[in-house]
Amino acid sequence: MKKLLLALAVLVLILAALPLITGNLETRELNDNVRKELGLKFLKLSDGSVHYDVSGPQEGEIVVLVHGNAAPYFSWDKNMKALSDAGFRVVRYDLYGFGYSDRPDTVYSRELYDRQLSGLLEKLNIKGPVNLVGTSQGGSIAVYYAAKHPERVKRLALLSPFINVLPMKAMIGLIKVPGVGDYIGRVALDRININYPQKVFANTSAIPAEYTDRYMEQLSYRGFKRARLSNLRGDSLADFTAEYETVGRSSVPVLLTWGTADIVIRSDSVAGIKKAMPKLEYHEIPGGGHLVHYESPEKVNEVLVKFLKR
């Protein structure tokens, strides 16, 4: 009993000290004046402003890229040219809470992300079926969209997508507890966010500075932690098996890629996706990490373009 109490006391001290170690990373506002200075593209949707970009030939078939928690929209930087050169018109955007998009004070649910994607396509006047490419949580967002709007999806490519299991399941359980989760978010979420890049690269000794700098920048805008906490607490990281099964029964062609060194989405998730979508096309990438499309784009681009060109 004494050892248990001592361990708890040490844990409390560590948690209490974390804010002093990391400081408060959120020191900047993200508003219209800041966006004007950035000189990027933004659209005002029902839940807030969204940072987006469109590139590639005007007449090209539409490909929409949906990022995950590992990095905002810039995580597609090394895939854009391959897709544009293949003749596709490519749309990418920052999810709410990430990058330069708003961090609305709301519930970060699967419905929020579905509204965001639907609203973006509507504002861009994209009416026909699109090719959807999603990675990590962006994969589950894409699957949910395809299950809910099957007539709007031509092909679906999933790169290490989330279905229902994350390695930090126990921590997410604590975060969902009222009071406890707020405390963890206040004292530990900065440190969790800072360390997250170490989980998504296979070669953690050579994480590019360009990635780290741009990943850290989004953490500096107020509302990131609040949005991340809401995301972890809501149904956007719940079980998507039913949606995978719905799409699996449809006529939408599905591609799944997964790197064997991925420690975020693991082999049990891949097995669950294959079971839910028995007709999918699967490509395994030996030694690939969670963000393999950024870390080793040549291993993904060829497979992705070939699938989307069919």
Side-chain angles (χ1 to χ4, degrees), residues 98-173:
F98 290 88
Y100 298 121
S101 285
D102 268 343
R103 290 100 161 90
D105 189 1
T106 188
V107 176
Y108 281 68
S109 63
R110 53 186 72 188
E111 283 297 327
L112 173 70
Y113 296 123
D114 186 71
R115 282 199 308 274
Q116 184 183 17
L117 179 51
S118 296
L120 179 66
L121 295 178
E122 182 181 353
K123 280 289 183 100
L124 293 175
N125 199 31
I126 296 173
K127 299 184 183 301
V130 302
N131 299 290
L132 268 184
V133 182
T135 179
S136 195
Q137 184 180 357
S140 61
I141 292 170
V143 168
Y144 186 78
Y145 185 87
K148 193 172 180 181
H149 316 279
E151 74 286 355
R152 298 301 313 275
V153 180
K154 186 173 183 179
R155 300 180 191 86
L156 178 64
L158 304 172
L159 318 181
S160 300
F162 171 77
I163 178 170
N164 57 7
V165 180
L166 286 174
M168 56 185 294
K169 186 176 180 180
M171 176 65 77
I172 292 174

Side-chain angles (χ1 to χ4, degrees), residues 15-268:
L15 289 175
L18 277 174
L20 301 176
I21 297 171
T22 62
N24 180 18
L25 299 180
E26 296 184 3
T27 58
R28 297 192 285 179
E29 293 290 343
L30 185 59
N31 52 39
D32 289 342
N33 290 332
V34 171
R35 291 190 176 97
K36 187 176 180 180
E37 291 175 3
L38 289 170
L40 302 172
K41 295 177 182 177
F42 295 90
L43 282 173
K44 202 81 167 179
L45 303 184
S46 59
D47 295 283
S49 292
V50 173
H51 170 225
Y52 78 100
D53 186 43
V54 182
S55 61
Q58 187 77 36
E59 70 284 357
E61 205 172 290
I62 301 294
V63 174
V64 181
L65 306 177
V66 189
H67 71 79
N69 287 330
Y73 123 138
F74 80 79
S75 63
W76 299 110
D77 280 358
K78 300 183 180 182
N79 314 109
M80 298 294 294
K81 188 176 186 303
L83 292 168
S84 296
D85 288 351
F88 293 105
R89 184 77 165 162
V90 187
V91 178
R92 57 176 173 162
Y93 65 103
D94 278 327
L95 294 171
Y96 285 127
F98 290 88
Y100 298 121
S101 285
D102 268 343
R103 290 100 161 90
D105 189 1
T106 188
V107 176
Y108 281 68
S109 63
R110 53 186 72 188
E111 283 297 327
L112 173 70
Y113 296 123
D114 186 71
R115 282 199 308 274
Q116 184 183 17
L117 179 51
S118 296
L120 179 66
L121 295 178
E122 182 181 353
K123 280 289 183 100
L124 293 175
N125 199 31
I126 296 173
K127 299 184 183 301
V130 302
N131 299 290
L132 268 184
V133 182
T135 179
S136 195
Q137 184 180 357
S140 61
I141 292 170
V143 168
Y144 186 78
Y145 185 87
K148 193 172 180 181
H149 316 279
E151 74 286 355
R152 298 301 313 275
V153 180
K154 186 173 183 179
R155 300 180 191 86
L156 178 64
L158 304 172
L159 318 181
S160 300
F162 171 77
I163 178 170
N164 57 7
V165 180
L166 286 174
M168 56 185 294
K169 186 176 180 180
M171 176 65 77
I172 292 174
L174 285 174
I175 283 173
K176 290 184 177 181
V177 178
V180 175
D182 297 284
Y183 177 73
I184 292 173
R186 188 169 64 253
V187 304
L189 208 50
D190 272 341
R191 176 56 58 185
I192 292 171
N193 291 332
I194 289 171
N195 290 335
Y196 196 64
Q198 294 290 328
K199 298 179 182 297
V200 299
F201 282 82
N203 184 4
T204 56
S205 64
I207 298 176
E210 62 180 2
Y211 169 88
T212 304
D213 291 346
R214 296 178 73 184
Y215 172 85
M216 290 296 295
E217 182 186 3
Q218 67 174 344
L219 273 60
S220 70
Y221 292 108
R222 291 189 178 92
F224 184 88
K225 279 189 294 187
R226 171 174 43 72
R228 192 71 178 268
L229 187 62
S230 180
N231 179 45
L232 292 169
R233 283 176 149 174
D235 67 0
S236 56
L237 287 174
D239 192 344
F240 282 83
T241 300
E243 286 74 21
Y244 275 84
E245 290 173 343
T246 296
V247 178
R249 290 191 296 268
S250 76
S251 59
V252 175
V254 179
L255 168 71
L256 172 65
T257 69
W258 179 71
T260 58
D262 191 340
I263 63 172
V264 177
I265 302 299
R266 300 182 179 179
S267 58
D268 53 348

